[in-house]
Amino acid sequence: MNRQAIDQVTGRSWTTRRDQKNSRLEKIKCFMKGRVLPTDRIVNALESILAPGDQVVLEGNNQKQATFLSRALAMADPNKVNRLHMIMSSISRPEHLDLFEKGIARKVDFAYSGPQSLRISQMLEDGQIEIGSIHTYLELYARMFVDLIPNVALVAADKADAEGNLYTGPNTEETPTIVEATAFRNGIVIVQVNEMVDRLPRVDIPASWVDIVVQADEPYQLEALFTRDPRLITETQILMAMIAIRGVYERHEVQSLNHGVGFNTAAIELLLPTYGEKLGLRGKICKHWALNPHPTMIPAIESGWVESIHCFGGEVGMEAYTAARPDVFFTGSDGSLRSNRAYSQMAGQYGVDLFIGSTLQMDAVGNSSTVTSGRLTGFGGAPNMGHDPRGRRHATPAWLNMISEEGTIVRGKKLVVQMAETFQKGDQPTFVESLDAVEVGLDANMPIAPVMIYGDDVTHVVTEEGVAYLYKARDLEERKLAIAAVAGVSSLGRYHDLSLNDQLRSDGLVAFPEDLGIRRTDAKRSLLAAKSVEDLVEWSGGLYKPPAKFRSW
């Protein structure tokens, strides 16, 4: 019996997804002009296209939000659209959670929920929302090609032409990944655009991947998430930055890296042209970056420290600057930045020597999490970049410097640095006996505790007290002692036996500022290459155009 005969006997169709897609699109054909949907028909279209239980991707990472589409979805009739399974990088806007209160959506898989972390925690407790998993960015993208394949994708772009070709501009971010996962498994791709034009600056996504284009009633939301005002950098953060540069970057010859967002890492960026230059480190460290276009990177770029930066996303106000520095940034023929969150996460995982970030809590063995009691924040990309990718095979001096065993077959390790003050705002200790995440996981019936970065991946811990070289620890007990030695007067640090510090220093497990040739009194704001946003604008030659809320002049 041939294949066709078998299919006839079994009655199996191999085009069910395609047939369903065509059937749904047929329902809105009367509204459409080619691929273009009138703005005022978006709610009608969503109510016609979406089916109960659909897996729906709503674009919204921690910067770029498909705001018009998220508002439209929240306006849908729950009697027509319900029990959706939302797939979202970031739960950032009120209407994202309104979907669940109204019954439009029931389940969510996400990576980050910073602005809505308190509300989602309460809704989870009240049984209004079901969480599939809290993912890393790459993990969520990967599952879109495996078992979280979207039926419908709601994404945002800057411009479209009449045929449906898209221009995403500096903030391409995760749009291509979402669209590809949907389009090539016969899902429906709906794109909000800021404007329709006759000719695009460049084509970032071809029309054949797109089903519906709708011009939004206002531009999509874009947050200046990676801008840090140098005026707010403290002397403690400057001291920690000096410790990181001297005790980690210089010691291990770190040339390729990713910085988490925060004032600690902003201080490092602003010390490179001053403190780093004084140490003679230009050309030896910090040359290649996987990083958003942080405004605090401008002095290091202008001083010749930086050779390349690949960006996860853009940053408000940095558009003209990145366009004017094509030797450093990845830009298109139109001159604007081409960011890509999935590619940059991959670069941050496999292509760099070091990840340095911060956390809200760390336990005695180095496990850390931003999920705390009453706050379900999520992780974003930190776990992707904050771990040792065991598939790596290329060697660099920094990677090789992590080899701690002997033998004919050995391997290096990525530097994973956790940089945190011993106490957070409100006198909340960073170092704790047990992570809140353990209890949160139990209360939410999660199969595992929502740990952000596991302790066995962490190679260094930097605090205002010094640096712990965890990769040198021979066992769990030494790891605990090294962390306690830099934990300050937190509960872990208070009970640490100070008489052990000399041996820890001798064994190379801990270094305090004086061991690194750093005087605490030298940690002054005068070391910063820029002391205000105004200084950053001056460094950029006027190319950086900061949002109004950062202007103090």
Side-chain angles (χ1 to χ4, degrees), residues 398-415:
W399 189 77
L400 293 172
N401 210 236
M402 292 297 101
I403 296 175
S404 56
E405 70 272 19
E406 297 180 356
T408 55
I409 298 180
V410 294
R411 58 184 299 277
K413 193 172 185 178
K414 180 181 179 178
L415 283 76

Side-chain angles (χ1 to χ4, degrees), residues 76-142:
D77 183 350
N79 293 312
K80 297 178 181 179
V81 181
N82 50 70
R83 293 185 287 111
L84 298 180
H85 179 176
M86 303 303 298
I87 305 163
M88 305 168 65
S89 289
S90 178
I91 301 172
S92 301
R93 293 177 54 81
E95 68 265 21
H96 290 169
L97 292 179
D98 292 347
L99 297 173
F100 298 89
E101 289 186 343
K102 294 178 178 181
I104 293 171
R106 175 59 191 166
K107 184 176 181 179
V108 65
D109 280 85
F110 73 103
Y112 179 73
S113 67
Q116 302 297 325
S117 59
L118 296 176
R119 187 179 172 197
I120 192 174
S121 181
Q122 186 62 53
M123 289 177 67
L124 182 64
E125 184 176 328
D126 295 342
Q128 292 180 303
I129 188 170
E130 178 185 345
I131 293 177
S133 293
I134 305 175
H135 301 74
T136 70
Y137 284 130
L138 271 184
E139 180 182 16
L140 189 63
Y141 302 150

Side-chain angles (χ1 to χ4, degrees), residues 31-80:
F31 303 147
M32 302 291 293
K33 182 178 179 181
R35 286 188 171 89
V36 180
L37 175 74
T39 303
D40 60 359
R41 288 292 190 176
I42 184 59
V43 176
N44 302 115
L46 292 174
E47 290 176 344
S48 299
I49 285 172
L50 291 166
D54 270 350
Q55 294 188 154
V56 178
V57 177
L58 175 58
E59 183 170 25
N61 51 56
N62 48 21
Q63 289 178 282
K64 175 185 175 186
Q65 300 285 333
T67 41
F68 172 71
L69 291 175
S70 64
R71 285 189 282 110
L73 183 57
M75 292 169 62
D77 183 350
N79 293 312
K80 297 178 181 179

Side-chain angles (χ1 to χ4, degrees), residues 123-274:
M123 289 177 67
L124 182 64
E125 184 176 328
D126 295 342
Q128 292 180 303
I129 188 170
E130 178 185 345
I131 293 177
S133 293
I134 305 175
H135 301 74
T136 70
Y137 284 130
L138 271 184
E139 180 182 16
L140 189 63
Y141 302 150
R143 289 190 65 192
M144 290 181 199
F145 293 91
V146 183
D147 61 330
L148 291 181
I149 300 168
N151 299 103
V152 177
L154 307 173
V155 299
D158 192 48
K159 296 177 175 63
D161 61 21
E163 294 181 2
N165 296 300
L166 304 179
Y167 170 71
T168 52
N171 301 288
T172 300
E173 304 192 8
E174 61 189 3
T175 314
T177 307
I178 295 172
V179 171
E180 182 160 339
T182 308
F184 288 90
R185 275 282 279 151
N186 293 297
I188 296 173
V189 176
I190 305 175
V191 186
Q192 70 165 79
V193 297
N194 294 340
E195 59 179 325
M196 301 293 300
V197 296
D198 293 329
R199 183 179 177 84
L200 297 176
R202 67 174 190 246
V203 175
D204 289 315
I205 297 174
S208 59
W209 296 19
V210 177
D211 298 297
I212 300 168
V213 174
V214 56
Q215 184 167 349
D217 54 9
E218 60 183 34
Y220 56 73
Q221 176 187 341
L222 192 62
E223 292 294 322
L225 192 72
F226 295 90
T227 299
R228 292 293 178 267
D229 189 340
R231 292 180 190 272
L232 303 179
I233 295 174
T234 67
E235 291 184 351
T236 297
Q237 291 159 345
I238 292 169
L239 173 63
M240 292 171 63
M242 295 168 71
I243 293 170
I245 290 172
R246 198 78 208 264
V248 182
Y249 292 19
E250 179 183 16
R251 176 169 295 194
H252 303 299
E253 300 179 62
V254 175
Q255 296 199 17
S256 58
L257 66 162
N258 165 263
H259 270 188
V261 58
F263 287 101
N264 290 328
T265 47
I268 295 174
E269 292 156 12
L270 290 172
L271 288 187
L272 291 177
T274 57

Side-chain angles (χ1 to χ4, degrees), residues 330-350:
F330 287 69
T331 59
S333 57
D334 66 312
S336 75
L337 183 73
R338 166 73 177 197
S339 61
N340 189 299
R341 193 166 295 277
Y343 286 167
S344 214
Q345 286 285 337
M346 184 172 62
Q349 181 171 346
Y350 276 97

Side-chain angles (χ1 to χ4, degrees), residues 517-538:
I518 297 171
R519 292 188 302 181
R520 293 177 184 269
T521 54
D522 288 343
K524 301 293 184 183
R525 283 183 48 80
S526 58
L527 278 180
L528 297 175
K531 300 171 185 62
S532 65
V533 173
E534 184 178 8
D535 287 349
L536 295 175
V537 174
E538 185 175 344

